[in-house]
Amino acid sequence: MEEEGRIRLQKYIALSGITSRRKAEELILSGRVKVNNKIVQTLGEKVDINRDRVEVDGKHISIVKHNVYIILNKPVGYVTTVSDQFNRPTVLDLIKDGVKERVYPVGRLDYDTEGLLILTNDGDLTYKITHPRHNIQKVYIAVVEGIPTQKDLDKFRKGMKIDNYFTSPAQIKILQTMGGKSKLRITIHEGKNRQVRKMCESIGCPVIRLKRIAIGNISLGDLPSGKWRYLKKHEVNYLKNL
Ligand code: URA
């Protein structure tokens, strides 16, 4: 039982939205967490949510009392990180006028990729969606140079070697071909760095345009580019129950 106002340090960190409870344990064990200016490096410590001052990597964090879940149609030309070393616009610029809570992108989309991005301050949900074990499918529409052959499509479906890992079996369908280019629908289950681009490149069909249209059952629908909305209750429940 938790005494009133006192919760475990890893829970406090997860409730701040910066990361999941499990990752918070790693932060504690690696000496990156301070309570009232003292490093705490053991698990099981409790903190008083109204009094204690918790810092991660020297930054003061406080717990979130209200979780928010947002879906954004990211345009090309925005980074998915919270800040950018080259001062490029970030996805947070697109929501800052309407959302006062500090939220974080769930996973990444490349600067030149558009489409569905979820943002939240719920660290445990972020962990759930991004952990490979949950195998959640991500659906992309890619316009590529060239027209994939049957052999190319089979490579996607069986899994292929990229960098030094094997992709898990993906689904791929040619939706349209026009003037030596193709429009493909590709579903993958992981989210390695530039994975779809690398897969397309490896069959000799470099990506011209890439858009994510779904994560699991959550679809972008007709949300216009650059716009966001709150996820509906049933969508949040779906993600929490993954
Ligand atoms: N795959 C990519 O290549 N880029 C993305 O942004 C997402 C998936």
Side-chain angles (χ1 to χ4, degrees), residues 108-110 113 140 192 194-198 210:
R108 289 237 195 140
L109 283 181
D110 301 331
T113 300
Y140 294 86
K192 298 275 194 317
R194 296 180 80 82
Q195 182 171 340
V196 174
R197 289 172 196 278
K198 286 178 183 170
L210 186 61

Side-chain angles (χ1 to χ4, degrees), residues 67-73 91-92 94-96 98-106 116-121 125 218 223 227-232 235-236 239:
N67 280 132
V68 286
Y69 306 92
I70 285 163
I71 175 175
L72 168 74
N73 185 352
V91 289
L92 297 182
L94 295 164
I95 59 164
K96 66 178 179 220
V99 182
K100 60 179 186 331
E101 290 84 1
R102 188 97 173 96
V103 290
Y104 302 85
V106 177
L116 192 165
L117 185 71
I118 293 172
L119 299 110
T120 183
N121 53 5
L125 192 80
I218 311 287
L223 190 63
K227 298 287 180 209
W228 64 274
R229 66 168 173 83
Y230 289 108
L231 283 178
K232 304 204 170 92
E235 293 173 316
V236 175
L239 292 171

